[in-house]
Amino acid sequence: MHPGELTRRGLLSLVLATAGCSLLDGSRPARGTPVVVATGETQGFFFAYGRELAAVLAAGLPEARVSTVTTSGTVDNLRRAAGVPGTFGLAALDAAAAAQYGQEPFALPEPPQAVGRLFDDYVHLVVPGESPVHRIADLAGRRVSVGPAGSGSALVAGRVLEVSGLRGRVTEERLGFSEALTGLDQGRLDALFWQGGLPTGSIVRLAGRRPLRLVPLGELLGPMRVRYGPYYRAASIPRGVYSNAVLVDTIAVPDLLVTSAATDPVLVHAVLELIFDDRKRLERAVPTAAQLDPRAAIATSPLPLHEGALRYYREVKR
């Protein structure tokens, strides 16, 4: 280990011990510690998960000041989490890798650190039930919502259009999720991209009012991995998740909880304890929380795990 690293770690331990927050004594964050959960759009999956996560943290950390902030999604969350200690953001791994390496849409590296892998997002391409769009190539010449700037949907939709050769051959609308659903329902849009957990409640509600279909995207997995990295995996959205929509093959990407490298390790450790201790509460509100597993949670590469997260997972393994 580099001598400077030893000095840094030694100073960190000394500061935390002096403040009554030693990493070794399992103590709590200091009274009044601000904790912010960056969520997502109000109709989106991150919003529901983030608000329930904040409720769990508020109940378990009465000494802290827990709040939420509504954001445009993954890219916004990564920037907030990287820049503000005590902010925890939900973010897709493909965008987190782009932040790590300073790839588009990040002009420079803005790397947060990982608290853990929580669940998987599924890429949805949603069309009305009567639509003539049955495969990705059928989007040519049509109006498609790719999601707002700063969202994971916009990032992955742009990549899907790129590898499918459709960039510039569709009319891209950068709409918020709620506005896109309304546009699809009222016929102003032909399709929308959405990256979210299963099921996404807003799509469930729309599918209950009118027939919807999901367009398969599984054929694009190979090109996506070759061009953008190994962050995508093959996945299926089962029949019945959205009313009568049939099973379709698609692409999934892991979602992480991220925070600043400067966030207090004691706070990060306490957050993880509450997430795993109260996973049943999370699961009742957001069924996707059933995917929580400490063995899978450490799979966050290329984002390094935060120091407080490393301590938690090492304790769990004992």
Side-chain angles (χ1 to χ4, degrees):
M1 185 179 289
H2 192 279
E5 181 69 9
L6 278 172
T7 301
R8 187 187 70 82
R9 290 179 182 272
L11 284 172
L12 177 61
S13 296
L14 178 61
V15 168
L16 289 174
T18 302
C21 297
S22 170
L23 289 177
L24 301 177
D25 66 9
S27 62
R28 310 283 286 181
R31 183 167 296 280
T33 297
V35 178
V36 178
V37 179
T39 60
E41 295 184 78
T42 55
Q43 296 297 312
F45 191 83
F46 277 7
F47 183 79
Y49 198 110
R51 284 178 64 87
E52 191 60 30
L53 173 58
V56 166
L57 299 184
L61 297 172
E63 66 273 29
R65 292 186 288 111
V66 179
S67 62
T68 62
V69 59
T70 302
T71 71
S72 57
T74 279
V75 174
D76 193 1
N77 291 352
L78 286 162
R79 288 179 169 141
R80 290 171 184 267
V84 183
T87 296
F88 294 83
L90 295 159
L93 182 57
D94 54 351
Q100 178 81 2
Y101 298 127
Q103 298 169 342
E104 189 179 357
F106 300 91
L108 296 170
E110 299 182 45
Q113 291 189 345
V115 178
R117 175 176 172 171
L118 300 183
F119 55 90
D120 283 355
D121 262 351
Y122 292 71
V123 183
H124 299 56
L125 177 53
V126 187
V127 298
E130 68 279 10
S131 171
V133 176
H134 291 276
R135 56 194 183 97
I136 185 71
D138 296 336
L139 284 182
R142 302 186 187 278
R143 297 160 298 170
V144 183
S145 173
V146 297
S151 68
S153 295
L155 177 68
V156 79
R159 292 179 171 186
V160 165
L161 294 174
E162 197 71 49
V163 300
S164 62
L166 286 168
R167 208 67 191 262
R169 298 176 59 207
V170 302
T171 301
E172 296 183 33
E173 303 283 355
R174 295 193 173 273
L175 303 177
F177 188 42
S178 179
E179 188 179 359
L181 287 168
T182 300
L184 192 72
D185 189 24
Q186 296 179 353
R188 298 194 307 272
L189 285 176
D190 297 302
L192 69 83
F193 280 100
W194 168 247
Q195 179 174 282
L198 296 182
T200 296
S202 299
I203 300 178
V204 171
R205 289 188 286 275
L206 181 56
R209 297 201 309 272
R210 60 164 301 152
L212 297 177
R213 281 192 293 105
L214 300 171
V215 178
L217 298 171
E219 66 187 272
L220 301 177
L221 175 64
M224 290 281 283
R225 288 173 63 90
V226 167
R227 183 153 188 170
Y228 299 110
Y231 315 116
Y232 303 102
R233 70 169 182 85
S236 296
I237 300 177
R239 178 185 178 89
V241 170
Y242 299 113
S243 189
N244 292 322
V246 300
L247 180 146
V248 294
D249 293 328
T250 189
I251 299 165
V253 59
D255 277 310
L256 312 179
L257 186 65
V258 298
T259 194
S260 167
T263 297
D264 183 351
V266 170
L267 175 59
V268 173
H269 185 279
V271 165
L272 277 171
E273 278 189 320
L274 289 168
I275 287 174
F276 283 100
D277 288 352
D278 283 0
R279 72 178 84 180
K280 292 300 182 184
R281 172 177 173 171
L282 279 169
E283 187 179 338
R284 284 194 296 271
V286 189
T288 299
Q291 295 180 30
L292 279 168
D293 181 347
R295 293 167 297 182
I298 61 175
T300 63
S301 179
L303 256 66
L305 283 165
H306 189 282
E307 186 172 355
L310 281 169
R311 176 193 165 214
Y312 175 82
Y313 295 121
R314 285 170 181 156
E315 289 175 354
V316 169
K317 284 184 66 176
R318 290 180 192 147

